[in-house]
Amino acid sequence: MTEATEKKVMLSGIQPSGALHLGNYLGAIRNWVERTDEFDNYYFLADLHTLTVRQVPADLRRHTLELLASYIACGLDPEKNTLFIQSHVPAHAELGWVLNCYTMFGELSRMTQFKDKSAKHADNINGGLFTYPCLMAADILLYQPDYVPVGEDQKQHVELTRNVAQRFNNLYGEVFKVPEPYIPKTGARVMSLNDPASKMSKSIPEGCVFLLDEPDDIRRKFKRAVTDSDTERCVRYDPEHKPGVSNLMSIYAACTGKSLADIEAEFDGQGYGAFKPAVGDAVIETLRPIREETRRILADKAYLEDVYRAGAEKAARVAGRTLRKVYKKVGLVAR
Ligand code: TYM
């Protein structure tokens, strides 16, 4: 891994709060893998973020390693991508604190994820849940990235990051690069299979396809996928009136590379009976190599440890540079 590079920088992360699902893959990881050679890449496991919701400690540890194995299995070569665990680089928490002091209560109150999660976890609306976007801004700004590839639901957090970076730069000079969100054309918002009004997420497991699901489970989930109650029963893209079928079409398009028009033509006159299993099969084939490779990599704990150690070392060097600059600018005495 070389550090001196002219390449632009990409950075993103996923919370290891459960198994990875198709939305994470189509909305985020696949987009990262496609651009690996063009960029200097930082992809991390946002383990500190998961603490905003109660976790079972042993599960969190297991999911973290599983997620790292899946990153690699999805095609993120550790030689070309700096892969690391957020908590291994203390600069995240340190800059997170500083940015807490440059982010406004009103801004944080407007975050959709905060509103959703506080409704879902009404008994545990903790401070971390509220200031979550400040830690996320720190995750990003430490590495001075040009692009942050995320699904649609994280766009608001990246925009807040831009605002905080600009606010800080206005006060202290050009400390942070102001990054752009980078959202895929297909798969940016994969919806739940049993409720097309909600995004696919591990909190609704029946409507969620996990990367490590067996083919039979995937087939069953697609067979039961909610289609629409219109009488037309044809495969036509119309997210407003046919959200269930449109979601399945987007998944099929993302997995096969076919356009929506091609898909309409392919299933013309066939109804949903032929379409739903076809989507299931396309997903099974997309996920098969990832599932098999994740299992293989997971069995080699020593290799995973080498990867996250090397990743943290490189990440800490880069992050440390930005943090020192920030501390100096705000007036902290250098150690
Ligand atoms: P998280 O862990 O919820 O999701 C990880 C990535 O998957 C995308 N995603 C989806 N895309 C399409 N359809 C869906 N149904 C779907 N569900 C999830 C998300 O948009 C995201 O790209 N706060 C972040 C993690 C994070 C982060 C960061 C991301 C922490 N620090 C710094 C980028 C940069 C989160 O909770 O993502």
Side-chain angles (χ1 to χ4, degrees):
M1 278 187 284
T2 49
E3 254 181 70
T5 173
E6 296 302 309
K7 288 180 174 174
K8 292 198 166 185
V9 177
M10 278 263 201
L11 167 137
S12 198
I14 297 184
Q15 296 193 60
S17 49
L20 271 185
H21 58 72
L22 189 64
N24 299 136
Y25 179 64
L26 297 178
I29 304 182
R30 204 175 59 154
N31 216 12
W32 310 351
V33 174
E34 274 169 11
R35 313 296 298 268
T36 257
D37 289 323
E38 281 168 69
F39 292 91
D40 186 14
N41 310 292
Y42 296 84
Y43 294 117
F44 65 96
L45 315 172
D47 57 347
L48 293 173
H49 276 100
T50 69
L51 303 181
T52 54
V53 172
R54 292 285 169 264
Q55 303 293 323
V56 176
D59 290 352
L60 176 56
R61 262 188 289 276
R62 181 169 54 82
H63 285 137
T64 304
L65 292 182
E66 214 172 83
L67 182 51
L68 178 61
S70 287
Y71 274 11
I72 302 167
C74 287
L76 293 176
D77 177 352
E79 297 296 320
K80 296 182 182 167
N81 299 273
T82 304
L83 307 180
F84 64 100
I85 298 174
Q86 184 188 30
S87 62
H88 291 184
V89 182
H92 289 244
E94 294 174 274
L95 182 62
W97 170 254
V98 175
L99 297 183
N100 265 306
C101 306
Y102 292 82
T103 311
M104 300 303 132
F105 183 88
E107 283 175 307
L108 293 170
S109 310
R110 283 194 290 277
M111 294 295 110
T112 314
Q113 182 167 305
F114 171 68
K115 291 187 211 163
D116 288 351
K117 287 205 171 171
S118 357
K120 224 179 262 170
H121 306 278
D123 55 340
N124 183 23
I125 306 177
N126 58 70
L129 198 62
F130 188 62
T131 60
Y132 179 114
C134 304
L135 180 57
M136 179 157 163
D139 298 338
I140 296 172
L141 298 175
L142 280 171
Y143 300 88
Q144 312 281 355
D146 296 272
Y147 299 106
V148 182
V150 285
E152 190 71 48
D153 63 320
Q154 292 299 319
K155 194 171 164 203
Q156 195 185 29
H157 286 159
V158 180
E159 309 228 301
L160 177 63
T161 300
R162 289 169 55 83
N163 293 341
V164 173
Q166 273 154 351
R167 179 173 304 138
F168 198 92
N169 287 350
N170 286 341
L171 289 165
Y172 301 106
E174 293 302 302
V175 176
F176 296 126
K177 183 171 274 179
V178 180
E180 303 275 343
Y182 180 75
I183 315 258
K185 286 198 180 68
T186 51
R189 195 168 171 77
V190 178
M191 308 310 280
S192 167
L193 298 187
N194 60 1
D195 173 14
S198 315
K199 71 171 180 178
M200 180 176 283
S201 98
K202 49 210 155 218
S203 58
I204 321 174
E206 262 317 289
C208 183
V209 177
F210 294 100
L211 255 54
L212 302 184
D213 274 351
E214 295 294 333
D216 280 348
D217 293 325
I218 300 179
R219 221 167 266 128
R220 180 178 47 79
K221 287 179 184 175
F222 277 95
K223 224 179 245 168
R224 289 195 194 151
V226 168
T227 38
D228 309 296
S229 52
D230 59 327
T231 47
E232 184 183 71
R233 302 203 66 76
C234 74
V235 176
R236 189 166 55 76
Y237 191 74
D238 178 356
E240 196 184 326
H241 301 104
K242 295 163 76 79
V245 170
S246 301
N247 183 41
L248 295 179
M249 286 180 75
S250 300
I251 293 173
Y252 192 64
C255 289
T256 58
K258 293 179 183 169
S259 70
L260 296 169
D262 286 346
I263 299 169
E264 284 176 6
E266 184 179 346
F267 294 95
D268 188 28
Q270 293 191 55
Y272 301 153
F275 178 55
K276 291 206 282 184
V279 185
D281 286 343
V283 171
I284 289 169
E285 289 322 311
T286 302
L287 298 186
R288 189 188 301 281
I290 297 172
R291 187 183 71 245
E292 289 170 1
E293 193 59 5
T294 301
R295 294 249 157 85
R296 193 186 64 74
I297 297 169
L298 254 185
D300 191 351
K301 294 283 183 297
Y303 169 68
L304 286 173
E305 204 175 306
D306 285 348
V307 169
Y308 67 64
R309 285 226 171 112
E313 218 171 276
K314 163 140 190 233
R317 273 198 304 277
V318 177
R321 278 202 293 271
T322 304
L323 185 69
R324 280 193 294 279
K325 205 164 168 188
V326 168
Y327 275 7
K328 190 170 171 198
K329 290 283 187 187
V330 299
L332 306 185
V333 174
R335 198 165 50 168

